Amino acid sequence: MRCFSRHMVVSIALGALALTASAASAATPKNQLVIGTSLAQVVSLDPQQGSEAKALEIMSNLYDRLVATDVDGKIIPQLAESWTVDEKGITFKLREAKFASGNPVTAADFVYSLTRLLKLNQSAASNLTRVGYSGDNVEQLVKAVDEHTLRIDLTDKVTSELLLYRLAGVVASAVDSVEVKKHVENDDYGNQWLRTNSAGSGPFTLNRWSPNEMVIMDANPNYVAGPPKMRRVIVRHVPESQVERLMLNRGDLDIASALTAADLKTFEGNKGYVIQRVPTGGFYVLAMNAANKYLSNPKVREAIAYGIDYAGIEKTIMGPYGRVRTVPVPENYEYAIKSPDWHLDVPKAKALLAEAGFKDGFRLTLKTIAQTPRIDLATAIQASLGEIGITLDIQQGNGSEIIAAHRSRSFDLLIPQTSAYMPNVIGSMEQFTSNPDNSLEANNAGNFVWRSGWDIPELTALTAKASMEADAEKRGALFVELQKKFIAQSPAVLPMFERFEPIVLNAAVKGYVGHPNQTTRLENVTKSDAE
């Protein structure tokens, strides 16, 4: 009934659009940017909590960080005017800036924000907790020297370069401490309020967020670089590809980023549109719960690796969204090794299942967010694994449902996606090979491997060693070793496709360049016909 209702809604929507297809094309307002996408993953717009891709895109325009990265992965200044590095830490000099409220941005706001991040200790904090920062030591390691000088000391688990890349993440954004403190309830650091409100210094402010409907952002007149070119940005939840395609064709959208490969292809060669294929450094992953009696067996996991028709799925489903890659390092990164020879081999996969003691197969549930291209990917995996004797029941859900299941280890199989925080082997691979404490008591839901219950002490130690190695040649050798050992352990977090973000823009849109970390800033976006 649920599936029937969804298709009925889609049919009605398509019919309504078809009725007006012969009319003159609509046009979005000249001073507004309208983006169509799927907002299914957005569960919070608190920068110290939200960590899903679409939430990051929104929050990166509401908040500023000390530093950011450009599209080539280079560290660039944002609220930090400059910084100096010594052997013990980094000292940042802040530029003169204001929050949207009019309050000045100070070093104390960064101390509050980073303390808040680590005290809340949610998934968003994992990039810093992984390298030794915690709610217990943050106030000793992060200090305001004066109103415009911030000092962050290094732990013994991070280099200054790695710290800068971690601080370039949206989770390290500055929130307006004066404003947020007004909304604290039950020592929640204002989290309940900040989930649906903004208190940043970015180019836009949050006007409205209606979950699974739309996000509206208004220009921030106090933005440090001057008001954005667009007065308003509207992000519409349009998860159905056909509807989104028709809306873009009619001019109801300026940008579309949730199109299937087939619908996206209809815009190829059309001078009225521009297609961007943004590399993310991340992957579409098959996460396996290693606590499951079947999936705890490495031979079963290897059988699954040989039970997926990667080539067929890439051709028929992934298209612009991904290319086959079963090592969690993009193939063009320095020191990336070749993918293992995992391919659809039904006899070999069946033999591995028999060796594991499951020659008659078994049944599992595969969970996925109802979002392009993951729904079709799940269906293809279901068909593929069915050939080797593994029966899958697919369970679709919204972002809050599936993400919660992943973080609580409440799944058999699940399809998440990743991205790279730094354009090298560690930047993309660390989340696949580091799990310092696999115990349930650790409750480390921010750790990607922990969610699959995969205990990997050797890989964790090697990841830490490679991260801290100062000699480039030795570090490169460790990068190669890390990839080989990852493959040898028949991973419970199986990368399948290197992930790209295909985006179609109306040709009138200028200045939009998709960011690999999905932190595309919109303050300089214009329309060629805008007045």
Side-chain angles (χ1 to χ4, degrees):
M1 179 62 71
R2 183 179 181 184
C3 184
F4 172 76
S5 297
R6 181 173 67 86
H7 287 299
M8 179 179 287
V9 170
V10 173
S11 297
I12 293 170
L14 286 170
L17 287 170
L19 287 173
T20 58
S22 60
S25 291
T28 60
K30 294 179 180 180
N31 59 358
Q32 296 186 25
L33 185 70
V34 184
I35 301 171
T37 191
S38 170
L39 296 173
Q41 291 186 75
V42 180
V43 296
S44 172
L45 292 179
D46 181 337
Q48 274 91 57
Q49 181 182 46
S51 57
E52 294 72 40
K54 294 303 175 184
L56 294 179
E57 288 190 25
I58 295 162
M59 294 186 296
S60 67
N61 285 282
L62 302 174
Y63 296 92
D64 290 322
R65 293 91 79 194
L66 288 163
V67 295
T69 57
D70 63 18
V71 294
D72 296 317
K74 179 184 176 183
I75 293 288
I76 56 175
Q78 202 164 80
L79 281 178
E81 194 169 58
S82 63
W83 57 91
T84 56
V85 175
D86 58 57
E87 61 182 19
K88 293 185 178 180
I90 308 175
T91 302
F92 297 90
K93 289 291 183 181
L94 305 185
R95 67 178 73 242
E96 294 279 350
K98 291 181 179 180
F99 289 106
S101 66
N103 295 325
V105 177
T106 69
D109 290 302
F110 273 105
V111 172
Y112 178 81
S113 300
L114 292 173
T115 300
R116 182 178 185 274
L117 171 68
L118 291 160
K119 294 285 189 182
L120 284 173
N121 195 27
Q122 300 199 19
S123 297
S126 62
N127 232 16
L128 286 175
T129 58
R130 187 180 287 127
V131 292
Y133 294 92
S134 70
D136 294 330
N137 65 20
V138 61
E139 290 163 306
Q140 286 73 51
L141 297 174
V142 181
K143 295 180 179 179
V145 178
D146 58 42
E147 188 170 326
H148 290 97
T149 307
L150 179 73
R151 172 73 181 182
I152 303 180
D153 290 334
L154 301 174
T155 69
D156 60 0
K157 296 179 180 180
V158 70
T159 64
S160 58
E161 179 189 30
L162 294 184
L163 178 58
L164 282 170
Y165 274 103
R166 282 166 163 78
L167 293 174
V170 172
V171 299
S173 297
V175 300
D176 184 342
S177 60
V178 174
E179 190 66 25
V180 173
K181 286 176 182 177
K182 296 176 184 177
H183 301 280
V184 173
E185 296 180 10
N186 301 316
D187 298 321
D188 73 341
Y189 287 92
N191 171 247
Q192 190 62 35
W193 179 77
L194 209 52
R195 288 168 62 95
T196 56
N197 293 274
S198 65
S201 61
F204 294 91
T205 62
L206 184 62
N207 174 303
R208 170 189 167 195
W209 169 36
S210 299
N212 289 327
E213 183 183 340
M214 70 172 60
V215 172
I216 300 175
M217 297 184 286
D218 292 335
N220 174 12
N222 289 323
Y223 179 51
V224 67
K229 306 296 191 297
M230 292 288 113
R231 181 179 67 83
R232 173 169 286 177
V233 174
I234 300 173
V235 185
R236 298 184 60 174
H237 179 57
V238 192
E240 296 292 346
S241 179
Q242 290 176 293
V243 175
E244 187 172 289
R245 172 174 57 81
L246 289 171
M247 291 177 71
L248 184 61
N249 268 320
R250 293 185 63 247
D252 295 327
L253 300 176
D254 297 308
I255 299 173
S257 64
L259 296 169
T260 63
D263 283 327
L264 191 143
K265 193 173 181 65
T266 65
F267 294 96
E268 291 181 0
N270 189 325
K271 292 182 180 179
Y273 302 92
V274 175
I275 300 175
Q276 295 183 13
R277 189 179 189 229
V278 184
T280 68
F283 294 82
Y284 288 101
V285 182
L286 184 63
M288 311 179 207
N289 192 334
N292 179 282
K293 67 177 181 179
Y294 305 117
L295 301 172
S296 62
N297 191 314
K299 287 192 179 296
V300 170
R301 300 199 299 266
E302 187 179 2
I304 289 173
Y306 277 106
I308 297 174
D309 183 11
Y310 306 96
I313 293 171
E314 177 182 359
K315 181 179 180 180
T316 60
I317 295 170
M318 300 306 292
Y321 279 92
R323 62 185 176 195
V324 177
R325 178 72 175 152
T326 50
V327 180
V329 178
E331 62 183 34
N332 63 317
Y333 278 17
E334 187 178 17
Y335 301 113
I337 68 172
K338 290 183 178 180
S339 289
D341 188 29
W342 290 331
H343 60 279
L344 181 58
D345 187 333
V346 174
K348 184 165 187 172
K350 285 185 173 181
L352 285 164
L353 287 180
E355 288 178 40
F358 307 113
K359 66 181 180 65
D360 295 325
F362 45 83
R363 194 178 202 101
L364 297 171
T365 297
L366 172 60
K367 295 186 177 183
T368 183
I369 292 175
Q371 185 180 58
T372 302
R374 283 189 267 190
I375 299 173
D376 292 335
L377 177 56
T379 302
I381 292 172
Q382 178 188 50
S384 195
L385 292 186
E387 292 187 48
I388 69 171
I390 299 177
T391 301
L392 296 186
D393 298 311
I394 296 176
Q395 182 179 334
Q396 297 180 28
N398 60 34
S400 59
E401 294 167 340
I402 302 302
I403 292 167
H406 194 199
R407 291 176 176 173
S408 63
R409 296 180 171 179
S410 303
F411 68 96
D412 299 330
L413 300 172
L414 190 145
I415 303 177
Q417 63 184 36
T418 67
S419 58
Y421 75 90
M422 182 170 59
N424 64 19
V425 169
I426 287 296
S428 61
M429 194 173 192
E430 179 183 80
Q431 58 201 311
F432 289 84
T433 57
S434 180
N435 185 14
D437 186 347
N438 192 54
S439 67
L440 278 173
E441 293 73 24
N443 193 28
N444 191 6
N447 185 289
F448 190 66
V449 179
W450 182 91
R451 297 178 189 182
S452 286
W454 188 38
D455 199 12
I456 47 170
E458 182 183 9
L459 288 176
T460 299
L462 187 58
T463 300
K465 182 179 179 182
S467 298
M468 296 298 292
E469 178 54 61
D471 183 270
E473 187 174 340
K474 292 179 180 178
R475 186 168 62 245
L478 290 172
F479 285 169
V480 171
E481 181 184 358
L482 186 61
Q483 293 169 81
K484 289 180 177 178
K485 288 191 173 181
F486 172 81
I487 293 166
Q489 293 201 23
S490 300
V493 282
L494 175 67
M496 299 178 291
F497 302 94
E498 184 181 343
R499 187 170 71 85
F500 295 83
E501 188 80 2
I503 302 168
V504 183
L505 296 81
N506 185 300
V509 175
K510 307 297 180 184
Y512 183 100
V513 181
H515 196 288
N517 293 349
Q518 292 176 291
T519 53
T520 304
R521 295 273 281 204
L522 303 173
E523 65 262 39
N524 292 318
V525 173
T526 62
K527 296 181 186 179
S528 59
D529 60 345
E531 295 178 351

